[in-house]
Amino acid sequence: MTTAPVLHVDPSRAGSPRVEPPRFEHHREPLGIGESAPRLSWTVLAGLPGWLQRAYEIEIADESGTVLTATGAVESERSVLVPWPGAELGSRERRGVRVRVHGHDGSASDWSPWSWAETGLLEAASWHAGAAAPPPELLGAPDGPAPLLRRDFAVRGPVASARLYVTAHGLYEVEINGTAVGDDVLAPGWTSYGHRLRYRTHDVTALLREGANAVGATLADGWYRGRLGFLGGKTGVYGDRTALVAQLEITYADGTAERVVTDGGWRCASGPVTAASLYDGEAHDARLLPDGWSSPGFDDGAWLPADVLDHDPALLVAPTGPPVRRTGTLAPVEVLTGPDGETILDFGQNISGRLRIRVQGPAGHTVSLRHAEVLEGGALSLRPLRDAAALDRYTLRGDGSAEEWEPRFTVHGFRYAQVIDWPGELEPGDVEAVVCHTDMRRTGAFTCSDPLLNRLHENVLWSMRGNFVDIPTDCPQRDERLGWTGDIQVFAPAASFLYDCAGMLSSWLADLSAEQAEVGTVPHYVPWIDLLFPAEPAAAWGDAAVIVPWVLHQRFGDLGVLRAQYAGMKAWVDQVAALTRKNLWDEGFQFGDWLDPASPPDQPGRSLTDHVLVATAYHAWSARILADTARLLGHDEDAERYAELASAVRAAFRDEFVTPSGRLACDTQTAYALALHLDLLEGPGQRERAGRRLVELVARDDHRIATGFVGTPLVCDALASVGAHDTAYRLLTQRECPSWLYPVTMGATTVWERWDSLLPDGSVNPGEMTSFNHYALGAVADFLHRTVAGLAPAAPGYRRLRVAPRPGGGLTHASAELHTPYGPASVAWTMVRTVAGETLTVTVTVPPGTVAELDLPCEGDLPEEVGAGTHTFTGPYRP
Ligand code: RAM
């Protein structure tokens, strides 16, 4: 039986299109932006089937509502990252923008609501603040006490508006008149401080009052001066003095303005935070908090004057993404007693964050909180933390009332916490876990009929939350938490689906370029710290310079990121080309297919797949992406040159590793995954043979995974590309170790670094690389989105969608939803099995302004493309 496709249009949504408030660049909160010509995007809500934009109009107004720019109708289908049509903005300028659209069908919208953006300080000359540094005697050794800084100031009349522009060498929290400014965590975040230091702009109008006012800050070492890195790490990476850079600008109702800046007039003293380390934790003695220190009238006569240090305002940059924030809280799911009678709280979920306690007890009593990701023998397993103590301590004020505390300058990766020396009975509600990470907008969701796959997806999501902590890190718990390039290179596609991470990753890429230019290659992690190993080129890691910008362009439609990264992309490919011999990258250090299941616990890089094969395959891939990028940017000569390079490397790969019939000299899942997915083979004959061999290899491994960081994101795609969906599903749904679902069966709530971070007997893997929160192997989530559910981009920014679900693995339904830059898209399929056969029903939602290519495995007279709207197709399943 064949059912003709039916078009459903929700009648309540029919009518003329509506435009949502426009967006500026990738900002969630466009206050203090750094772009003088911010690109604009808008989403159209249209109940009209097949709606496509024909033209847009933009109006830009100033604060008084005067329209400064009116584009009139611009014939264009663009609605994502449209060039700023107005005059370039200077510092502190506020503009409203609204948009109206016209459809090809003759429809027209009303004006959208106004959206407002305000620039920060765009040029160095706008900065008048010095770097106010507490005197050295208040600092102590790195990761020691966090001093306080303050000053009084007067507000001499009614205030129209006030802005605080603020950053620090170190971590800061600011208060005005006793109230915290903003809700950022770990501000200013971690950038390559020698090149770029982010500041934030806060609207503090409501915190000021006429007359006496005070501003205060707490300053911890953080990434600037605290210990960073593995194997003992390093302290003082960026300097040995922390400092606050703050500029408060007050605009009075009468139009006059005044500034309060960090200078030698600020006074400093030690405060309640007696130690603060990102790795080791924080110690807070509440008895040491000077009452009212950030309010006016406080006597700071005994405080020491701040030193004013040199700093370069040209390094100060506005954020391009959201800050780290508290994004949720978790109550303990169980209170456990450890083997020595210790009290351990289980929060049921591995997170990055910290605890908030409510405690009452005698003055001077100290409560300690120790964190771990897993238990071993019922006790906290601390070995995976390596050299990170993850221990917070709170000493009570003890004034008879309940005291609330949460550390402010540290973050831990944990699911369990041991509570040591709690005074009296620990009551439910006394301790909660606070989840902290970059506050990105959630955009993607996936679900299917297999609860284990759903939990795997949930674990990937939590590993993203656990590791997008201002920079994309490898792990949140041990003495590392570095921006490892290889990890985000493989995870970027999944990440770009789950959250809008374009702004955050663009910032990180700017640091990557800065470090690359300084150290002469793409370092292994960004920001780079010189530890024991030199910065040397390594395939799949260094290729992040090329692949991450490309992924952002594909997923967010951002050509600007390619433009910004182009020089670095080129420098990387050129550098590798110079390292190759006859186009094979066969010399020097490589991570290879890091941590494949065959690599011994103490040798994570001893994977089965030839490092030269991995490196050469990646070189071909990056050269090809670079050629495509050059073409998009109009660098035609480059486009030609890199296309030639890509095909020469591809040919060299085949000469060295591929037999004429399509077998590989290296007989591993990863080798075949690379060759197939990166299109390194010649003709259908080789592909078909290689595909068959990959299927054989997976079967030989009993359908267990045999790939590491490099092969894992590709193997299912490679299988699917040769039609071996069944094998891909068997890999995907395998539960025995090693597999994606093995950790799920072991109770994992995040993705592990190793396939067997926890061994089948419940003991922790004896290797050094044993994190329980590493997103790299979770890159497979992108396959769940694109192939299992069937929602993939077919043009940058999902301007075209590819809807090609491939049911299998016994699933009876799967769906994916995504807030694309054009609006919400979704694909949901269900399979009904009857004696007569299997019937597939697919429902597709296509955002206004886009078109979806359909490739559905069901019989019927199906269209090849559909336009905006919600469409349902039903027919006999034909795989
Ligand atoms: C480990 C990191 C990371 C990996 C490198 C090579 O230390 O955790 O995941 O990219 O090694």
Side-chain angles (χ1 to χ4, degrees):
M1 180 193 82
T2 307
T3 315
V6 215
L7 173 67
H8 293 297
V9 176
D10 176 353
S12 65
R13 290 182 54 196
S16 48
R18 220 154 35 82
V19 186
E20 302 222 296
R23 308 183 296 275
F24 299 83
E25 293 286 331
H26 299 291
H27 295 292
R28 267 193 103 169
E29 302 132 72
L31 173 65
I33 66 171
E35 296 86 2
S36 56
R39 295 168 299 171
L40 301 170
S41 308
W42 55 88
T43 302
V44 178
L45 303 175
L48 306 163
W51 191 88
L52 280 178
Q53 180 181 299
R54 192 207 80 227
Y56 65 76
E57 295 174 68
I58 298 175
E59 279 188 0
I60 303 177
D62 67 10
E63 259 173 295
S64 69
T66 308
V67 174
L68 306 174
T69 303
T71 61
V74 177
E75 295 294 321
S76 167
E77 294 187 342
R78 290 185 65 178
S79 60
V80 172
L81 299 166
V82 172
W84 177 251
E88 283 218 358
L89 302 175
S91 293
R92 312 173 185 88
E93 288 196 307
R94 202 170 162 72
R95 293 289 179 268
V97 171
R98 62 178 188 168
V99 174
R100 179 157 78 176
V101 298
H102 302 267
H104 277 293
D105 56 4
S107 64
S109 73
D110 278 338
W111 285 105
S112 72
W114 290 96
S115 284
W116 291 89
E118 182 179 311
T119 53
L121 302 181
L122 301 188
E123 57 289 306
S126 297
W127 283 95
H128 303 277
E137 56 263 47
L138 296 180
L139 289 185
D143 292 333
L148 307 176
L149 292 86
R150 76 177 302 283
R151 67 157 290 158
D152 293 300
F153 62 96
V155 169
R156 56 170 164 73
V159 173
S161 80
R163 297 288 181 266
L164 179 70
Y165 305 96
V166 59
T167 187
H169 297 170
L171 302 177
Y172 69 89
E173 283 193 4
V174 186
E175 300 171 23
I176 290 181
N177 298 327
T179 302
V181 175
D183 52 4
D184 299 18
V185 166
L186 303 181
W190 192 11
T191 47
S192 167
Y193 293 144
H195 303 280
R196 303 168 66 244
L197 173 60
R198 255 189 249 128
Y199 68 91
R200 279 270 283 161
T201 303
H202 295 281
D203 179 354
V204 293
T205 316
L207 296 182
L208 300 187
R209 48 197 185 219
E210 267 186 73
N213 288 259
V215 53
T218 310
L219 204 53
D221 290 346
W223 293 287
Y224 191 86
R225 180 174 181 261
R227 178 165 60 94
L228 292 180
F230 46 91
L231 296 172
K234 247 189 169 177
T235 57
V237 171
Y238 299 98
D240 58 5
R241 299 280 302 273
T242 50
L244 181 75
V245 177
Q247 182 159 317
L248 172 64
E249 299 193 352
I250 306 167
T251 307
Y252 290 104
D254 65 7
T256 59
E258 209 166 26
R259 264 196 309 258
V260 177
V261 298
T262 36
D263 57 18
W266 288 58
R267 316 276 296 170
C268 313
S270 54
V273 179
T274 55
S277 154
L278 288 165
Y279 295 158
D280 293 333
E282 187 163 319
H284 185 109
D285 187 339
R287 296 168 304 173
L288 304 179
L289 179 71
D291 251 351
W293 71 280
S294 65
S295 297
F298 177 82
D299 177 8
D300 60 15
W303 288 34
L304 302 170
D307 295 329
V308 183
L309 304 182
D310 274 351
H311 80 105
D312 182 0
L315 303 184
L316 301 180
V317 294
T320 54
V324 175
R325 290 207 174 96
R326 299 167 184 85
T327 61
T329 54
L330 299 172
V333 294
E334 211 178 341
V335 181
L336 306 164
T337 303
D340 296 323
E342 67 270 34
T343 302
I344 296 174
L345 303 179
D346 175 4
F347 291 91
Q349 175 60 53
N350 200 22
I351 62 164
S352 77
R354 50 216 190 180
L355 299 179
R356 186 182 293 152
I357 60 171
R358 208 179 137 80
V359 62
Q360 197 165 350
H365 180 86
T366 300
V367 175
S368 301
L369 310 162
R370 207 183 252 295
H371 306 73
E373 297 189 292
V374 288
L375 302 180
E376 223 183 346
L380 296 190
S381 176
L382 299 174
R383 187 175 49 79
L385 306 183
R386 303 199 304 220
D387 202 2
L391 178 69
D392 296 328
R393 284 162 295 153
Y394 179 73
T395 302
L396 280 78
R397 194 171 54 236
D399 58 10
S401 58
E403 302 174 33
E404 253 197 48
W405 179 69
E406 176 193 331
R408 295 180 294 162
F409 302 108
T410 193
V411 69
H412 309 293
F414 69 102
R415 166 177 169 170
Y416 299 94
Q418 183 177 340
V419 180
I420 303 161
D421 296 331
W422 190 265
E425 279 291 299
L426 186 65
E427 301 286 346
D430 285 346
V431 183
E432 61 181 348
V434 183
V435 181
C436 300
H437 54 79
T438 299
D439 190 17
M440 302 163 289
R441 184 168 80 108
R442 176 80 190 274
T443 47
F446 166 86
T447 184
C448 70
S449 56
D450 180 343
L452 294 184
L453 280 181
N454 288 343
R455 183 66 231 193
L456 170 68
H457 191 266
E458 196 65 12
N459 292 359
V460 175
L461 186 80
W462 274 104
S463 279
M464 176 164 180
R465 297 181 69 178
N467 283 295
F468 274 56
V469 181
D470 203 61
I471 60 162
T473 63
D474 55 336
C475 56
Q477 74 299 88
R478 68 183 179 217
D479 54 356
E480 206 153 352
R481 317 181 196 183
L482 302 173
W484 281 93
T485 48
D487 304 44
I488 188 60
Q489 184 270 112
V490 300
F491 191 67
S496 301
F497 182 93
L498 297 172
Y499 281 93
D500 179 357
C501 53
M504 172 182 161
L505 290 181
S506 305
S507 170
W508 180 79
L509 284 170
D511 287 321
L512 182 144
S513 294
E515 300 283 20
Q516 182 186 8
E518 184 181 329
V519 303
T521 189
V522 180
H524 299 161
Y525 43 83
V526 171
W528 174 244
I529 319 160
D530 236 325
L531 294 169
L532 287 186
F533 307 103
E536 52 190 336
W541 272 250
D543 290 287
V546 175
I547 295 169
V548 177
W550 183 253
V551 170
L552 295 185
H553 171 247
Q554 293 298 305
R555 302 304 177 97
F556 298 101
D558 187 351
L559 198 62
V561 72
L562 290 180
R563 201 168 287 124
Q565 298 303 125
Y566 188 66
M569 295 167 79
K570 238 176 108 160
W572 169 254
V573 173
D574 288 345
Q575 180 177 38
V576 175
L579 289 171
T580 57
R581 282 186 303 194
K582 296 192 181 144
N583 290 311
L584 293 176
W585 189 0
D586 60 358
E587 257 188 1
F589 173 80
Q590 294 295 350
F591 290 110
D593 189 23
W594 186 253
L595 281 174
D596 81 9
S599 61
D602 58 340
Q603 286 171 291
R606 243 183 84 183
S607 47
L608 291 179
T609 307
D610 184 350
H611 287 9
V612 178
L613 183 147
V614 171
T616 305
Y618 258 93
H619 185 38
W621 192 14
S622 277
R624 199 175 77 202
I625 292 177
L626 181 56
D628 291 346
T629 302
R631 196 172 33 74
L632 288 173
L633 297 178
H635 305 307
D636 295 341
E637 267 173 43
D638 282 1
E640 223 165 278
R641 188 152 63 89
Y642 292 111
E644 275 165 29
L645 176 65
S647 70
V649 178
R650 201 167 162 261
F653 180 93
R654 280 198 305 273
D655 282 353
E656 183 76 3
F657 298 112
V658 189
T659 68
S661 69
R663 289 198 54 164
L664 295 186
C666 179
D667 206 24
T668 65
Q669 291 186 19
T670 292
Y672 281 94
L674 285 165
L676 285 165
H677 188 68
L678 303 185
D679 194 21
L680 300 172
L681 304 172
E682 198 56 58
Q686 283 196 346
R687 282 193 69 79
E688 193 267 335
R689 181 71 193 94
R692 258 193 297 136
R693 185 60 190 156
L694 178 55
V695 168
E696 282 161 17
L697 286 177
V698 175
R700 191 191 66 186
D701 291 326
D702 293 328
H703 295 94
R704 295 179 208 212
I705 198 85
T707 53
F709 277 30
V710 166
T712 299
L714 312 181
V715 64
C716 287
D717 279 306
L719 287 164
S721 77
V722 292
H725 297 95
D726 200 40
T727 304
Y729 272 105
R730 290 189 70 174
L731 259 186
L732 208 51
T733 54
Q734 171 65 262
R735 299 173 189 198
E736 298 299 319
C737 184
S739 67
W740 280 291
L741 294 186
Y742 162 72
V744 175
T745 66
M746 295 294 282
T749 62
T750 37
V751 177
W752 298 346
E753 178 173 26
R754 286 176 184 276
W755 294 109
D756 58 352
S757 282
L758 203 62
L759 300 173
D761 67 5
S763 64
V764 174
N765 187 302
E768 282 281 285
M769 305 285 168
T770 310
S771 137
F772 290 87
N773 202 351
H774 246 70
Y775 49 57
L777 301 180
V780 70
D782 201 48
F783 181 80
L784 299 178
H785 308 144
R786 285 185 286 101
T787 307
V788 174
L791 177 57
Y798 295 83
R799 172 78 183 75
R800 291 178 72 81
L801 282 71
R802 180 171 157 75
V803 176
R806 291 294 175 264
L811 299 183
T812 53
H813 66 82
S815 65
E817 279 170 58
L818 177 68
H819 283 274
T820 74
Y822 295 88
S826 64
V827 177
W829 60 259
T830 53
M831 183 82 82
V832 176
R833 296 191 173 95
T834 61
V835 274
E838 293 168 312
T839 303
L840 182 69
T841 303
V842 186
T843 300
V844 182
T845 299
V846 183
T850 72
V851 167
E853 300 170 2
L854 295 184
D855 179 0
L856 305 182
C858 67
E859 215 171 74
D861 189 14
L862 302 176
E864 278 174 17
E865 279 187 7
V866 287
T870 295
H871 315 267
T872 298
F873 306 97
T874 302
Y877 174 53
R878 289 290 170 267

